[in-house]
Amino acid sequence: MSGALGHDHRRSAVGLAIAALVAFVAGPTRAHVVYGTPTLSRLTQDSDLVLSVRIIEPSSDLPLPDSSAREVVVVAEVLEALKGSYANERVAFVQHGHGSPEYEKGDEVAVFLKRIERSPELGGSAVASRIHWVSEQEAGSRFALNGRVRPDFVETVRAYAQLAALAPEARPKAMHRITLELLASPHPMLSSSALRDLVMAGDASLLSARDLSVLEPLLGSPATPIGIRIGLLVELERRGLVDGPARWAKLLRTTTGRDRLAAVRASAAHPSEPVTAELLALLANDDHQLVSAAAVALGTPGNDAAVASLAKLLASDESRMRMAAIRGLGRVATPRAREVLVKTAAGHPDGSTRRRAGAEVRLLDRHTTSAGAIRERASSPQQ
Amino acid sequence: MHLQDSHFVSRAWRLLPFAALFCLALTASPALANGSLSVGTCARDITPISPSLVSDYEAAFGTPAVVNHSDPIYMAGFGNGREATDYNDRLWARGVVLDRGDSRVAIVSIDLIGYFKNEVDTIREMVSPSSEIDFVLVSSTHQHEGPDTLGLWGPNETTTGIDFAYLDFVNATVADCIDEASANLEKARIYYATANSAGLSLGLSSEDDGFGVADGKVLEGDEALAPATEGRIVDPTIATMQLTARKGSSLEVLATLVNFGSHPESLGSNNTLITSDFPHYLRERIEAEYGGLAIWMSGDLGVLQGPLDIDVEDPDTGMPAPRRTFRFAEVHGTQVAERAIEAIDAVRFGKNKRPSPKNGAPAPEISYATVDPVAIRLDNPYFRFFTAIGVLDVRRSLFTNGVPDDSVGFPFPPPFDVIPQSLGEDIETEVSAVRIGKGAIAVVPTELDPQIGATYRAALVDATGAEHSFIAGLGNDQIGYQVPFEKFDPSCQECAPFVLGGVPEFCPLFPNIDCSTVFQNNVGRDVSPKVTDAIHEAIDGL
C-alpha cells in the first residue's frame, strides 16, 4: 500500500468533495448490520429513541394472543431520554438481532430503540400489538453506563442526536469535531466507535492535514490503546496524510509488550523497506512470540531481503520460531526462499521441522507448476 | 494423493492414472472395490492456550498446559475485541480414517470458526505418506466461542485476530491426528441412521418453529421459497454414522458422527470462556451412551441457522432453559444427542432389541470426488479491502487466470480512490463428494443455506442410491455464506465504496441497502451457481 504524501492535496480535496455532499438522511437502511458493529453515530441516527435505563427484567415472558406463543422482552426503568422524548417511567422492548446484548437485573445501560413497525420481521407480527419498541443492537453494542463513562457517553449521544437539527452544511463540521474529540476519549467504548466512523461506518470524509496536530499525539502516545493507534495509522496512511512506511517503522520501534506484538502483526499488510528493517531487527529479540510474529510479518511476496534472516531462524531451539520462519519463507515464495525450504525439508535435524518445510515446498510447487508463481513473485517484489 | 494441477475431478484410485478412464471404470465397475472396512479414530486437544491462561487451563482440565497461542486470544464469531478469559471445555480435532483396501479417507471435525483452504492444504501435505490417505476432509464446526482463525475478529476492524503460531499448532496436530488414526485401523462395521429435529425446541417465540434451530430472519421474502414453514429455512435432518468393532463377543463402538445444520453459538456474544458450545454436551452424551469417540459435524447452517432464538425445556425445572447460558448449551446439546441416539438404536438393535452386527455394513464402497480448484469471481469489495489491509489471512492469495495475484490498488473512481483493494480476480476453493456405502457426504466450503442443502441431499441420493445424506459445511475451506442465486441482494456490495468511504447515504441505492452479514460476508452472487455446478460434478464423479 502506498503512503505517498504527494497525494495529500488530492485526498484533502476528496474530503472536501464528500463533505460538500454530506447531508444526514435520517431514513433507515434495511440493514440489520452496518459493517461490523454499528457506531454510536450510526446507532443514534437510526434510532427513534435512545434511553439511559436500569434493567428491571432482562427476559420477561410476554404472552401473546396465540396462547402457545410468547416473546422475550426486556423491561427497564427509564432514567433519561438521550434522543427523542419518552414520558413513561418504564419501557419494554424486544431484542431482535444476531447475538443481541445480554443484560442483568440492575444493569444501567443505554438502549437504542426503533418503533417496532419499522422492523420488517416484527412489524406485522403479534408482538407488535403488545410491544412498541425493538432494539436491534448487535454483539459489541452493549453500552454499560458505569462510572466515569456515563457523562461522556450521554454528551456524545446527545451531540449525535443534535446533528439532525443542524443545517445540512453545518453537520459535517459538527461531526468532524465530535469524531476528533472522541478519538482522544479515555473510554475505549467511545474512541473505538469514533475510529470506526473514520474507517468505514460514519463520516470518513472530514479528516485532513489540519487535524494532524490533534491526531499525531494520539498516534505516538503509549496511553492510546494499540488498536486505536494501529487503526488510526492505517486510516491516515490510506488517506495519504502521513508517511506510512516511516510511521509503521516508528510504531514497531517504540511500542513494547503486547502493543508491539499487535503492531508487528498489523505491519504484515504494510510492507516496505523501513518496516522490513525493523522486523529484521526484532528477530534478535528475546521474546519468542514477538520473534515468531515478526517472522510471519516478514513473509511478504518477493521479500528476498528477509530470506537470510529467516533461514537463520530455522536453527532456533524453539519450534514456534522455526514454524514461523517456514511460514514466512513460504509466503516470500522466491527461488531463494524455496531453496532454503528444500534444504530444510531434506536435512533439518528436527523431524517436525522437516515435515513442515516439506509441506511448504509442495504447496509452493503446486502453484509453480500450474502458474509459475515463484517467477511472478520474484519479478514484482512487495506490493 | 491430492491432485490440484487444474480443474478436474480427482478420484481415490491409485492404480488408475488417467482420470477420465478412471471415472468410467468406477461408474461401470463398482465391484472393483471389495475389501472389508477398517477404521481408526483420533482425538487431539486443539484448545488455544496463551501465557496468561495457562493456570486457568490447568485448573479447568487438570492437565499440564503447553502454550500454543499468544495473548490475547481474540474470540471469533461476533464483534471485535472479545478476549478469552477462561475455559469451559476443550476444543478438539476429532477424526476417523476409513479404509476398504482400495481407498482411504480421513474425516476430521475441528472446533473452530473456520479454516481456510491454504491451511487445510498444509495439513494434507503434513500427513505422513505412510498413512496412505487418499482424501482428507477437514470440516470446521463454526463454533463462535473459540479463537479467531480467519482474521476478522481482532481488536478492531483493521487489525487481524489471527495468531499464526496457533495455526501452525493446529496444522501439525490435525496431521498427527490423521496419522494416529491411520496407524490404528481395525476391522469395523458402519451403521447409518437419520433422525428429524422436529419438536426439539419449544416454538414459543416468533423465531422458533420447533426444529431445534431458528433461521436468522435475514433473507426477506423467504416465505416464497418455504411456504410450509412461513419462510423459516431450517434443515431438520440429523444424520448419524456409527462405526463399531467386534471385541470378543461384544460389539464396541469406535466412533459416532452426528451431522446437523446449526451454528454452535448458543453462548452468544458476551461469553468469554473458551468452549465448543452445545456440541460439547452432545458429544458427552453420545460417549456416555456408547463409549468410543463422538464427532460433531456442522451441516447446512447457512443464513444464520442456530440456537440463539430457540427455547428448550430444561428437564430439571420444566421451564425454558435460560438462553445464552451453559445450561442452555447443555440441555440443547443433550437433547440433540438423544434424538440421534434414538435413531441409531433403532437401526443397531433392530426388531429383537439386541445389538446385532448384521445391521451394519462390513464392506461399504468408499469413493470420493473433488473439484479443485473452483474459481469464483470475488465481487465483494469488503473482502478485497480486508485482504488488502491484512485483516484476512494474507497467505490466502487471490488468483487471476489461475495465477496467484497479491496485487493491491485503488480501483474506485474519485472520490473513493483512497480505498485499497486486493486486485486478484478470483478466490479459489474446492468442492467434494464422498460415498461410504449407504451414506454420502456433500462437502461444501460455505455456510450453506438449507434450501440449497436440500437439493444437494436429493442429488446425492438420486445419483448414488445412498440412503443417508450428510452435508459437511465449511468443508476444507470457509468462503462465507451461500444463499440462493435468486435471493442474492448485491446492494451492499455495489454500495461498498460509499459504505467504506463513510457516506452510504450517497449510494444511489440508499436507503435500500441490505448490509446484513449474509451479504457482506459473501464472495458474491456467483458463489451458489459455481459451488452447485461443482457439487454436481463431484457427485457425478462418485
Side-chain angles (χ1 to χ4, degrees), chain A residues 21 33 35 70 200 202 227 265, chain B residues 70 156 204 499 502 506 515 520:
Chain A
L21 292 170
V33 182
Y35 205 88
R70 69 172 194 135
M200 61 185 61
R265 286 189 183 144
Chain B
S70 55
N156 55 49
L204 298 176
V499 176
F506 294 104
C515 278
Q520 288 200 331

Side-chain angles (χ1 to χ4, degrees), chain B residues 75 86-91 111 143-146 264 267 271 273-278 280-281 326 329:
Chain B
M75 296 178 74
D86 205 339
Y87 301 91
N88 181 71
D89 54 270
R90 283 180 271 194
L91 309 187
D111 287 321
Q143 58 93 353
H144 282 38
E145 313 294 342
L267 271 301
N271 170 56
L273 307 188
I274 297 281
T275 173
S276 54
D277 209 281
F278 71 82
H280 165 67
Y281 298 99
F326 281 103

Side-chain angles (χ1 to χ4, degrees), chain A residues 14 21 33 35 70 96 98 100 121 196 199-200 202 204 227 265 269 289 327 331 355 360 362 366 377, chain B residues 4 70 119 125 156-157 168 176 204-205 207 311 324 389 394-395 397 415 499 501-502 506 515 520:
Chain A
V14 166
L21 292 170
V33 182
Y35 205 88
R70 69 172 194 135
H96 193 61
H98 181 62
S100 306
E121 295 84 13
R196 284 184 283 117
V199 173
M200 61 185 61
R265 286 189 183 144
Q289 290 187 3
R327 191 176 278 273
R331 180 70 175 158
R355 178 171 74 154
E360 200 67 30
R362 287 188 290 278
R366 274 196 208 169
R377 285 172 171 168
Chain B
Q4 191 175 295
S70 55
E119 302 298 338
E125 295 295 350
N156 55 49
E157 274 96 340
D168 286 329
D176 287 345
L204 298 176
S205 68
E207 305 292 337
D311 291 295
R324 297 167 199 183
I389 66 171
V394 292
R395 284 185 87 226
S397 293
V499 176
F506 294 104
C515 278
Q520 288 200 331

Side-chain angles (χ1 to χ4, degrees), chain A residues 24-34 42 45-46 114 118 120, chain B residues 220 489 491-492 495 499 503-516:
Chain A
F24 277 82
V25 181
T29 68
R30 281 192 288 132
H32 298 295
V33 182
V34 175
R42 180 66 52 188
Q45 184 183 336
D46 284 351
K114 295 179 181 178
R118 287 176 57 197
Chain B
E220 288 185 44
D489 184 338
S491 61
C492 189
C495 288
V499 176
V503 283
E505 297 87 348
F506 294 104
C507 179
L509 301 176
F510 188 85
N512 295 314
I513 308 171
D514 192 342
C515 278
S516 61

Side-chain angles (χ1 to χ4, degrees), chain B residues 14 29 39 93 103 113 138 167 194 220 227 254 265 278 280 298 336 338-339 409 423 437 444 489 512 518-519:
Chain B
R14 291 189 288 271
S29 308
V39 168
S103 184
I113 187 78
V138 178
L167 302 191
T194 299
E220 288 185 44
L254 298 177
E265 60 174 8
F278 71 82
H280 165 67
S298 285
V336 177
E338 285 170 352
R339 190 61 64 90
L423 298 177
V444 295
D489 184 338
N512 295 314
V518 295
F519 298 125

Side-chain angles (χ1 to χ4, degrees), chain A residues 293-360:
Chain A
V296 171
L298 282 165
T300 54
N303 191 11
D304 252 338
V307 171
S309 297
L310 291 173
K312 263 189 209 170
L313 206 59
L314 291 166
S316 166
D317 291 337
E318 286 292 324
S319 170
R320 180 191 181 99
M321 294 203 280
R322 296 195 300 272
M323 298 303 151
I326 291 169
R327 191 176 278 273
L329 288 164
R331 180 70 175 158
V332 170
T334 59
R336 282 183 63 203
R338 184 183 180 281
E339 188 182 337
V340 173
L341 289 167
V342 168
K343 282 183 184 169
T344 305
H348 197 282
D350 175 63
S352 62
T353 305
R354 287 198 303 274
R355 178 171 74 154
R356 179 68 181 86
E360 200 67 30

